[in-house]
Amino acid sequence: PQEHAERRACLQRALRAMHSHLADCPGLLGPHWPLVTAAVSLARRELLWYLWHHRPLPKTEKVYKSVAKHWAPPRGGDASFAELFDAAKGLSDLAAKFDQVAAEYHTSYLKDVHGGLLTEKISACRQTLQSTLKEQKALTLLDSVCERVLRADAADMAAVSLDCRRIVFALLRSLQHPSLDASLKALVLQMHKVCVSAECVGRPGEMLVGAGGLHEARFCPEALGGTIQSLLGENPALVAKIVPIFDSYTSAVCHSTEQEVASVGKEAAMMAKRCLESVCVAACRLVRDLHAETARTDVVSGPPQHGTEQVLCADPGQLWKMMEEPSSIFGGYSRAHDKLCDLCTTLSIVHPIMRVYDTQLHGKTMLTEALRKDFAVFLRDAMWGKAGRTDPIAPSVACDEVDRYVGALAVVEEFAGIDVTDVTEVVLKRMLVDPTSRPLGSRFNMQGGEASQSYETNALAMWYVRQLTRQGVYFSTTQRAFFSKHATLETHTSLKELRSLCQLLGPSGVRTIEHTLVKESAKLVQSFHAFLKINAGSLKAVYDDNATCKDHSALARLANLSQLEDAAQAMIGLGSLTTFRQCLRHALALVLSPSTVPQAFAATIAATPAAVAPEVSAPLHAFAHDCGVSPDGWPVDVALKEAVTADLGPLSLGAVKKGDWQHVIYAMVSLLYAQ
């Protein structure tokens, strides 16, 4: 195995050098065509040897212990297999691209050189051939080949190559070829040259496939699968380079129907697709590795012997120990970075499109989709942790994690040409923006049932609602944050955390959270309205007693009101949600750039004439209100006002006409005296 590994490395370097020279000067492909086919064929034999001998050492019999070191494959054998296959495939593709150059060269060579030399050789040994050949038709065929070589018809060259082989076999079978005289040896050698040139002119593509095709790999699935699995952990870029090996599987189906060939081709295409998907998954894993290595680092001061430089390392002194080791390159970050760069370059430049049977595989497109799936999983874990949707992670921590992940994606953007925005924007919109919340500046959609929990913002908003509407929730006006004994609300509702949340979700994501908050606030108002209806008589008596000042002890009847604690908690929760929404909108205004929405719309609203009809200016004011720049005199919460004053709302015009508005007065009096 060691000798074959060295042979594969040597062949790989030779094929790379040949590819470089022929790519610079394709005209050299004509005279060097036999050398190219021979080199590709030798590489094919070495690749097949690797697949046939890629098996572990038997451990049951003692006889193999003495040959263990010769049996065990050398380190890096899988990499040498992939590199050699890629080099052979690249040289074959280059030869197939310029096969017309070689065909023209050998066509002129057949007419001008081979035809005359073959005629001379036949004339020199004609008498010997007539007396020695057992079949007269062989000599006739030899004369016919000579005439056809002089014509050099491209359509007939494949048949000429086959006839040359038949004549050589007839000569070696009829004569005592070990004792051939010099003239017959020269004739056999010339016939071989004519055969090679004719085959190059007649069927150059089939010649390359026969020399470099690796269709026997179809019968070595365990060896090929083991190689792919080993390379996925070592260097995924090498797996991307051997994906075209599946394209030759249909060549292994001999004397079969079209249906059988199509079945094998589709199976090979599916295997290639799964292999390329595993490569894309490995790329996502490398991005995670870069993110993890970045998360472990921090800025610390270097030791005195290294001057006043500053380095990145979580544990002070560890990086300096690695720097003193000559074999280290700053840990796993550099290795993961190099592997990811190599993989991205392979998928975007070296093999951007891979064709297997009738299927085209676009590595860049598949990598983009894999990164989107991985980023979706990462974003969910960053917001909620590994335990699921129980308690969210602090927004500042989640925002930092996402920023580091996007920073790791910059390597993909640089070397694969994949726009990071194209990856993150689709995922963020798919996971954070509920289309039922409608765009900024338009009214919330208050119809429908519960919000879809498939959006992370809806789940996060419901968590905030559950925590803010529980008992024992307090709001600190000095720290501008909520406190509770049930949950760590301070770490999720402070201005710093809300700014991080707005930076992570964006205006559209915050809009989705506000939509849920407004719907839940409307539910609280409706529950309070139901409380007023149930206790309408008692509240009216309390109101009358307070107005006439006849019986101050009547206030004691407030304790007998039905569902009073639930109603009070609903009003407190409504106040908490309203305050939280104002804090969230204020944080969004601080996060947005000074050159964008808030200042521009503030100036626009200030310049709006007062004579403009309200229905015209309402969308503009609503848009500015959602961005936290409402002008003076505008209602504090437009969306909540629209929700509770709708046609069926508890504060609607119809409810006022019916006299239900008095219940609000009763409630205010009751809560006032309850305090």
Side-chain angles (χ1 to χ4, degrees):
Q2 186 64 36
E3 294 179 359
H4 283 275
E6 295 176 356
R7 188 179 300 176
R8 287 193 298 271
C10 181
L11 273 174
Q12 187 260 338
R13 291 191 296 268
L15 293 179
R16 297 288 187 193
M18 293 174 63
H19 184 278
S20 177
H21 290 304
L22 293 177
D24 293 338
C25 186
L28 296 175
L29 189 61
H32 292 89
W33 183 268
L35 178 61
V36 171
T37 55
V40 172
S41 179
L42 182 58
R44 175 178 178 273
R45 296 297 176 183
E46 283 299 319
L47 294 174
L48 288 177
W49 187 95
Y50 175 85
L51 292 177
W52 290 338
H53 294 79
H54 188 275
R55 58 184 184 275
L57 174 68
K59 300 180 180 180
T60 55
E61 299 183 14
K62 297 181 180 180
V63 69
Y64 291 108
K65 292 185 177 180
S66 60
V67 295
K69 61 179 181 180
H70 302 289
W71 183 284
R75 296 184 60 182
D78 298 330
S80 66
F81 170 84
E83 292 287 359
L84 180 58
F85 175 81
D86 183 59
K89 179 66 176 175
L91 186 59
S92 298
D93 292 343
L94 181 65
K97 180 180 179 181
F98 296 103
D99 58 353
Q100 191 61 32
V101 176
E104 293 177 359
Y105 173 85
H106 283 277
T107 299
S108 60
Y109 209 80
L110 284 171
K111 291 180 180 179
D112 302 336
V113 180
H114 285 316
L117 291 177
L118 185 60
T119 303
E120 294 178 3
K121 303 297 182 184
I122 294 175
S123 300
C125 57
R126 180 174 291 274
Q127 293 181 355
T128 306
L129 292 174
Q130 289 177 351
S131 60
T132 316
L133 284 176
K134 298 179 180 179
E135 299 179 0
Q136 185 64 27
K137 62 180 181 180
L139 187 58
T140 305
L141 182 60
L142 184 60
D143 295 333
S144 173
V145 167
C146 185
E147 295 176 0
R148 291 151 65 189
V149 167
L150 291 173
R151 291 196 304 268
D153 186 9
D156 191 37
M157 287 299 100
V160 169
S161 175
L162 181 59
D163 291 340
C164 288
R165 295 181 185 276
R166 293 169 59 188
I167 293 173
V168 171
F169 292 154
L171 286 173
L172 298 179
R173 185 174 63 251
S174 302
L175 303 175
Q176 298 294 331
H177 57 85
S179 59
L180 290 177
D181 57 10
S183 60
L184 289 177
K185 289 182 179 180
L187 177 61
V188 171
L189 180 60
Q190 188 62 36
M191 291 294 295
H192 177 70
K193 294 180 180 180
V194 171
C195 177
V196 173
S197 297
E199 193 170 7
C200 175
V201 175
R203 47 176 189 176
E206 297 180 10
M207 187 177 182
L208 287 173
V209 171
L214 204 63
H215 52 269
E216 291 88 350
R218 180 171 178 263
F219 305 106
C220 306
E222 295 182 359
L224 185 59
T227 301
I228 291 175
Q229 291 299 325
S230 176
L231 289 176
L232 283 175
E234 180 182 351
N235 191 356
L238 297 178
V239 180
K241 293 180 180 180
I242 64 176
V243 169
I245 198 174
F246 297 100
D247 190 29
S248 60
Y249 274 24
T250 54
S251 302
V253 184
C254 301
H255 308 291
S256 301
T257 61
E258 295 182 0
Q259 291 78 7
E260 293 176 343
V261 174
S263 177
V264 173
K266 292 179 180 179
E267 181 184 359
M270 289 298 298
M271 296 173 64
K273 184 178 180 180
R274 288 195 296 266
C275 182
L276 195 55
E277 287 176 350
S278 63
V279 171
C280 296
V281 171
C284 297
R285 190 163 54 247
L286 290 174
V287 173
R288 293 287 190 106
D289 293 342
L290 288 180
H291 164 266
E293 293 294 332
T294 307
R296 286 196 308 112
T297 59
D298 195 6
V299 178
V300 298
S301 303
Q305 62 266 27
H306 294 281
T308 59
E309 297 180 359
Q310 301 245 334
V311 297
L312 293 174
C313 183
D315 186 7
Q318 292 297 323
L319 184 57
W320 297 101
K321 294 180 181 179
M322 290 192 297
M323 291 177 63
E324 295 175 357
E325 299 178 1
S327 61
S328 177
I329 319 178
F330 304 132
Y333 181 87
S334 180
R335 290 190 293 271
H337 182 274
D338 294 342
K339 291 180 182 179
L340 186 59
C341 294
D342 192 11
L343 177 57
C344 293
T345 304
T346 302
L347 293 178
S348 62
I349 299 177
V350 181
H351 298 294
I353 300 177
M354 305 178 191
R355 184 177 181 85
V356 179
Y357 189 55
D358 59 350
T359 304
Q360 285 188 351
L361 302 175
H362 299 267
K364 187 176 177 180
T365 303
M366 296 181 67
L367 179 59
T368 303
E369 190 61 31
L371 289 173
R372 288 174 180 170
K373 293 180 181 179
D374 185 71
F375 180 62
V377 176
F378 179 85
L379 180 61
R380 184 177 292 107
D381 293 342
M383 294 180 64
W384 296 97
K386 302 292 184 180
R389 291 177 174 178
T390 53
D391 289 328
I393 305 297
S396 59
V397 177
C399 189
D400 292 341
E401 293 291 328
V402 173
D403 286 341
R404 279 193 287 266
Y405 187 92
V406 174
L409 286 179
V411 179
V412 181
E413 182 177 21
E414 180 180 0
F415 290 91
I418 298 176
D419 190 4
V420 174
T421 307
D422 187 33
V423 176
T424 57
E425 184 176 0
V426 174
V427 177
L428 293 174
K429 184 177 181 181
R430 185 186 304 164
M431 297 182 62
L432 304 180
V433 182
D434 189 351
T436 59
S437 61
R438 296 182 180 178
L440 291 171
S442 59
R443 294 185 178 183
F444 285 125
N445 180 19
M446 304 305 298
Q447 305 298 327
E450 297 292 334
S452 175
Q453 295 299 306
S454 60
Y455 297 96
E456 302 301 325
T457 45
N458 288 336
L460 185 62
M462 290 305 301
W463 182 86
Y464 275 111
V465 169
R466 287 193 300 269
Q467 301 302 326
L468 292 173
T469 55
R470 300 177 71 175
Q471 294 182 355
V473 176
Y474 307 95
F475 180 74
S476 173
T477 56
T478 56
Q479 299 186 14
R480 303 293 297 175
F482 287 89
F483 297 87
S484 173
K485 63 180 180 179
H486 302 291
T488 55
L489 281 179
E490 182 182 4
T491 60
H492 291 82
T493 58
S494 64
L495 182 59
K496 173 188 174 183
E497 298 297 334
L498 290 182
R499 290 184 63 176
S500 299
L501 181 63
C502 294
Q503 184 177 357
L504 177 63
L505 303 182
S508 299
V510 173
R511 172 80 174 182
T512 302
I513 289 185
E514 285 192 294
H515 183 207
T516 303
L517 294 177
V518 169
K519 292 179 69 174
E520 295 299 323
S521 299
K523 291 180 181 179
L524 293 176
V525 173
Q526 291 176 358
S527 65
F528 184 76
H529 186 243
F531 160 76
L532 296 178
K533 284 187 175 181
I534 294 174
N535 300 278
S538 301
L539 289 173
K540 188 175 185 304
V542 172
Y543 176 75
D544 294 339
D545 292 342
N546 183 59
T548 59
C549 299
K550 291 182 179 179
D551 187 6
H552 294 283
S553 63
L555 295 178
R557 285 178 292 177
L558 290 175
N560 298 324
L561 293 178
S562 177
Q563 302 178 1
L564 177 61
E565 294 183 0
D566 295 339
Q569 185 60 36
M571 294 302 293
I572 294 174
L574 178 61
S576 298
L577 294 182
T578 304
T579 304
F580 175 72
R581 184 162 179 252
Q582 293 175 355
C583 295
L584 185 64
R585 198 182 308 115
H586 176 63
L588 178 62
L590 295 177
V591 167
L592 294 176
S593 173
S595 61
T596 55
V597 179
Q599 283 72 15
F601 269 88
T604 304
I605 292 171
T608 302
V612 177
E615 60 270 11
V616 177
S617 60
L620 183 62
H621 284 282
F623 189 94
H625 172 266
D626 289 334
C627 295
V629 292
S630 299
D632 296 336
W634 192 254
V636 177
D637 201 330
V638 179
L640 181 59
K641 177 186 175 184
E642 293 175 355
V644 299
T645 59
D647 294 338
L648 301 178
L651 302 180
S652 62
L653 183 60
V656 173
K657 289 181 178 180
K658 293 179 181 179
D660 292 343
W661 58 272
Q662 294 180 358
H663 297 316
V664 179
I665 300 178
Y666 301 154
M668 296 299 107
V669 173
S670 302
L671 292 176
L672 178 63
Y673 279 92
Q675 292 292 339

